[in-house]
């Protein structure tokens, strides 16, 4: 598990299955775009580093984190994908909607995953302030987009293992 003190973005590549046979959707929220673009860069590069073909990465933007759920739902409804990575950033200091949005997207993503029996990864930063978000989007606590991508690969591999 990720902790405040541990940077888990430095995965050992030997522990991560090859992603060469898998197709991924990435849904990125436009709110807090500097942060979510950094998460996206980390996630995309991590998929490539683990063997995903560029043409097997399907990226779509949604306005805010609240829309990540319906974005993931639409992708799984219309595309044949092995896992979806949802990327967003909700900053508490800047919105009283914090709890509503965080709870909605966490529950929504879980529900979509169960509905389609596909991994849908929660790559949403929920921080007290901008600095904490920057620290987790390529700063001193790594890049949580990288962790989200590795989680997607591991879960896609688990699904493939069990489906065979
Ligand atoms: N979306 C985010 O991804 N991060 C935020 O920090 C964020 N703060 C918001 C604050 C307010 C007051 C509102 C109205 C929306 C916010 N949103 C945020 C957008 C939200 O996820 C969604 O796009 C909109 O509520 C439209 O459904």
């Amino acid at each position: 598990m990720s902790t405040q003190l541990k940077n888990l973005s430095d995965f050992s590549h030997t522990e991560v299955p090859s992603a060469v046979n898998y197709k991924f959707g990435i849904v990125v929220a436009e709110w807090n775009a500097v942060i979510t673009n950094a998460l996206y860069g980390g996630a995309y590069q991590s998929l490539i580093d683990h063997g995903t073909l560029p043409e097997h990465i399907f990226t779509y933007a949604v306005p805010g984190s609240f829309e990540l759920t319906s974005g993931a739902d639409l992708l799984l409804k219309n595309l044949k994908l092995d896992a979806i990575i949802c990327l967003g950033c909700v900053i508490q200091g800047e919105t009283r909607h914090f709890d509503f949005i965080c709870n909605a997207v966490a529950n929504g993503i879980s529900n979509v995953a169960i509905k389609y029996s596909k991994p849908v990864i929660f790559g949403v930063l929920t921080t007290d302030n901008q600095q904490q978000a920057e620290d987790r989007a390529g700063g001193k606590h790594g890049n949580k987009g990288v962790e989200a991508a590795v989680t997607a690969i591991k879960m896609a591999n688990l699904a493939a293992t069990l489906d065979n």
Side-chain angles (χ1 to χ4, degrees):
M1 289 293 287
S2 177
T3 71
Q4 197 178 5
L5 300 176
K6 194 171 176 192
N7 175 0
L8 290 184
S9 298
D10 299 325
F11 285 93
S12 163
H13 284 215
T14 56
E15 295 171 14
V16 181
S18 169
V20 70
N21 291 321
Y22 304 132
K23 294 180 180 174
F24 297 94
I26 306 181
V27 189
V28 192
E30 291 170 338
W31 259 78
N32 297 313
V34 171
I35 299 294
T36 60
N37 284 342
L39 295 174
Y40 175 72
Y44 184 92
Q45 191 56 48
S46 185
L47 292 178
I48 297 293
D49 289 347
H50 290 287
T52 312
L53 302 175
E55 59 268 34
H56 288 170
I57 301 174
F58 300 85
T59 302
Y60 292 88
V62 294
S65 293
F66 190 82
E67 284 72 41
L68 289 170
T69 299
S70 48
D73 185 78
L74 286 165
L75 260 66
L76 285 172
K77 183 180 167 197
N78 291 295
L79 303 175
K80 190 167 162 35
L81 300 169
D82 296 292
I84 305 280
I85 301 165
C86 294
L87 301 174
C89 174
V90 193
I91 300 178
Q92 177 139 42
E94 296 177 10
T95 175
R96 296 173 65 193
H97 287 49
F98 183 83
D99 291 333
F100 295 114
I101 294 173
C102 294
N103 288 333
V105 68
N107 290 331
I109 285 174
S110 301
N111 289 338
V112 174
I114 302 300
K115 176 179 170 186
Y116 289 96
S117 206
K118 294 279 184 192
V120 183
I121 309 306
F122 184 78
V124 181
L125 297 182
T126 57
T127 64
D128 293 334
N129 54 50
Q130 178 78 18
Q131 185 61 53
Q132 287 180 353
E134 290 174 10
D135 290 344
R136 290 158 179 76
K140 68 181 178 186
H141 291 308
N143 187 322
K144 301 302 173 189
V146 172
E147 294 181 29
V150 169
T151 304
I153 295 167
K154 288 181 173 179
M155 291 304 295
N157 192 62
L158 175 62
T161 303
L162 292 171
D163 285 345
N164 282 336

